[in-house]
Amino acid sequence: MKKQILLPVVFFSALFSFAQSYPDADETNPEKMQWQQGFPPLPEKTLHAADGSYFTFPGLRYSVNHMQEFSLTRTVPGAKENLYSVKTKYDDAIDNITFTPWNSDTPMTFAQSLDANYTDGIIIMHKGKIIYEKYPAGLKQDGVHAAMSVSKSFTGTIAAILEAEGVLDPSKTVAEYIPELKDSGFGDATVRQVMDMTTSIQYSEDYNDPNAEVWKYSAAGNVFRPADYKGPENYYEYLATVKKIPGQEHGEKFGYKTVNTELLAWINSRVTGKSLTELISEKIWKPMGAHYDGYYQVDPSGIAFAGGGFNLNLRDMAMFGEMMRNGGKLNGKQVIPASAAKDIATGGSGKEYKETFAKGGEYPALENWSYHNMWWITNNSHGAYMARGVHGQAIYVDPAAQMVIARFASTYLASNKYIDPLSIPAYEAVADYLMKK
């Protein structure tokens, strides 16, 4: 079955627009396509970082599991002792749960949705147990996968932890923490406005616009630059160039702009004197007993790509979600402050947050949603909230159903605007099923 699509593939070192016909999930399984196999691989089976081919479909189905082969990275050490424990009790009936995608009249089973979303790996947890775990393509249980913008929620969680510890004051301005940005568009924004992406800055992530600011941001983080490149040398230098939107104040409306995450990571590092990778390891990964080292892709100056560069293990990601569901606890141990976990889960559910999100106008299908601490808040009857990334990455936490879903994917559809119609109703259907058990 062929699908015709015209969409941008999004990544910090390879941003392209393309039109092409795409085979289905089975045909593009990276193991079946034999990318990078042989010494050397055949030219038609070789992926490259310099020309961006490693992140165009279907090659990206291989690269999302092997980012270290294509970029500079920095390790996020996992735990060497006191590893988390988790029980499994698989429920085969989940495959047969049916739901109807948005804007469709045709029901689909959960099992069918896996290939429809080009799923690489998925875990469903219920009441602390893994009840569903599958690895349809490329990813192995002990593997590491690119989390894309799920990374933003880790940066936001660190900020929430630092706030709870009294180290970070979200009411202060950016300039108070980062004087270097005093004259930038961010200077008079509050840290809270950065955390909630309500800064009023001239920055577009329209990848079809050759003049969009995202291209300069991307170039600042790219290790592959033309010899005559004269722009910012790293993410920090780029942030200093960002301008404010004339006539619009910070806090007026939500705008999903990755540079907010880069700034928040800088603030986290400035107040602690530690890099993002150190903070993730010391405040989340080691305390929760993560089984595997993760890693971040970094820019030419070694600064972590906070907005989308975290690569981690699927079970570890699911257990992170389970820790969040349990108010910051895992295996009976308080990993992060309970107040931080509560603020992430419920702090953005007020009317003003919903109105600010709606004013942004970017996600009309996500009616009544909001955004807080770099997490997506559904404000549905279950109080569900999410971490989301392009090409299908997700952590979905449903407190009422006592459910967590963690998914890695490599769909040719980059934006969640195109992925949500299949994903959100599927998650909600599983939650409804589990509520009846």
Side-chain angles (χ1 to χ4, degrees):
M1 178 180 177
K2 302 285 185 180
K3 304 176 180 70
Q4 184 69 29
I5 196 72
L6 177 59
L7 285 172
V9 166
V10 182
F11 197 65
F12 84 112
S13 63
L15 299 168
F16 299 97
S17 295
F18 59 98
Q20 192 173 333
S21 293
Y22 294 102
D24 63 22
D26 181 62
E27 290 179 76
T28 58
N29 186 310
E31 294 174 347
K32 182 175 288 188
M33 298 200 76
Q34 296 186 317
W35 295 111
Q36 305 292 96
Q37 300 301 305
F39 304 95
L42 295 171
E44 65 271 20
K45 296 296 183 180
T46 302
L47 302 171
H48 300 278
D51 65 5
S53 61
Y54 82 111
F55 215 75
T56 54
F57 192 90
L60 71 88
R61 303 209 71 195
Y62 173 88
S63 62
V64 289
N65 297 297
H66 302 274
M67 284 298 187
Q68 280 185 313
E69 297 176 17
F70 302 101
S71 51
L72 302 174
T73 63
R74 178 176 288 169
T75 300
V76 177
K80 304 305 179 188
E81 56 186 9
N82 301 318
L83 305 181
Y84 65 72
S85 60
V86 61
K87 295 180 179 179
T88 60
K89 188 178 180 181
Y90 296 120
D91 184 349
D92 294 335
I94 289 174
D95 274 334
N96 298 318
I97 294 173
T98 60
F99 67 95
T100 303
W102 297 344
N103 303 321
S104 172
D105 297 323
T106 305
M108 174 183 286
T109 67
F110 191 81
Q112 290 172 328
S113 76
L114 300 187
D115 275 356
N117 280 315
Y118 294 73
T119 301
D120 300 328
I122 188 166
I123 288 174
I124 301 175
M125 300 189 67
H126 185 225
K127 297 181 179 179
K129 294 185 178 71
I130 295 177
I131 61 169
Y132 190 89
E133 183 174 21
K134 295 197 175 181
Y135 299 90
L139 184 64
K140 305 298 181 185
Q141 190 181 81
D142 62 352
V144 172
H145 192 288
M148 308 301 169
S149 287
V150 167
S151 309
K152 292 180 172 67
S153 297
F154 280 89
T155 301
T157 300
I158 291 295
I161 293 170
L162 296 177
E163 178 187 3
E165 293 175 344
V167 177
L168 179 65
D169 182 354
S171 69
K172 287 189 175 183
T173 65
V174 169
E176 288 180 84
Y177 284 118
I178 312 289
E180 298 95 317
L181 298 183
K182 174 175 60 72
D183 297 323
S184 77
F186 286 115
D188 61 342
T190 66
V191 175
R192 169 52 60 200
Q193 289 162 344
V194 175
M195 293 168 73
D196 297 343
M197 291 211 190
T198 59
T199 54
S200 174
I201 55 170
Q202 295 182 41
Y203 175 85
S204 168
E205 290 193 13
D206 181 356
Y207 305 101
N208 290 318
D209 179 1
N211 297 313
E213 289 82 1
V214 67
W215 297 103
K216 294 180 181 178
Y217 160 60
S218 173
N222 200 338
V223 297
F224 298 102
R225 297 170 178 157
D228 59 351
Y229 177 75
K230 302 295 185 183
E233 294 293 333
N234 57 42
Y235 292 131
Y236 292 174
E237 288 187 13
Y238 174 77
L239 293 173
T241 71
V242 173
K243 305 299 182 184
K244 192 173 181 180
I245 297 174
Q248 181 178 307
E249 295 304 313
H250 297 301
E252 290 185 10
K253 60 183 181 180
F254 169 73
Y256 186 75
K257 299 172 181 179
T258 299
V259 290
N260 284 296
T261 313
E262 303 305 335
L263 173 53
L264 185 59
W266 189 1
I267 294 170
N268 290 344
S269 292
R270 178 60 61 86
V271 300
T272 61
K274 296 182 177 181
S275 69
L276 178 61
T277 53
E278 291 174 305
L279 289 169
I280 297 291
S281 178
E282 294 177 13
K283 294 190 174 293
I284 300 176
W285 235 222
K286 287 182 178 177
M288 81 172 219
H291 287 212
Y292 299 92
D293 291 348
Y295 63 86
Y296 268 85
Q297 289 141 273
V298 299
D299 72 9
S301 298
I303 300 166
F305 174 32
F310 197 16
N311 293 253
L312 63 155
N313 175 265
L314 183 61
R315 277 202 171 197
D316 285 348
M317 190 166 79
M319 295 300 285
F320 169 71
E322 177 65 11
M323 180 267 292
M324 295 300 299
R325 184 186 74 81
N326 281 293
K329 282 186 177 180
L330 191 64
N331 290 160
K333 175 186 176 182
Q334 193 72 43
V335 177
I336 71 170
S339 60
K342 181 178 180 180
D343 187 48
I344 287 168
T346 64
S349 59
K351 179 182 178 182
E352 69 280 8
Y353 276 96
K354 298 175 188 176
E355 291 177 347
T356 302
F357 185 89
K359 284 179 183 176
E362 295 182 65
Y363 298 90
L366 304 184
E367 187 176 357
N368 209 44
W369 283 45
S370 56
Y371 192 85
H372 185 59
N373 291 329
M374 304 214 164
W375 287 78
W376 300 77
I377 317 301
T378 73
N379 295 307
N380 67 11
S381 61
H382 288 192
Y385 56 101
M386 288 189 71
R388 294 145 51 89
V390 292
H391 299 289
Q393 325 318 317
I395 305 172
Y396 187 89
V397 182
D398 187 319
Q402 302 179 72
M403 177 190 82
V404 172
I405 298 177
R407 184 183 71 186
F408 284 138
S410 50
T411 175
Y412 58 84
L413 299 164
S415 173
N416 277 292
K417 293 178 183 179
Y418 305 101
I419 298 168
D420 288 340
L422 274 174
S423 299
I424 304 300
Y427 300 157
E428 292 174 342
V430 175
D432 291 342
Y433 164 79
L434 293 177
M435 291 283 283
K436 299 172 185 177
K437 288 181 71 68

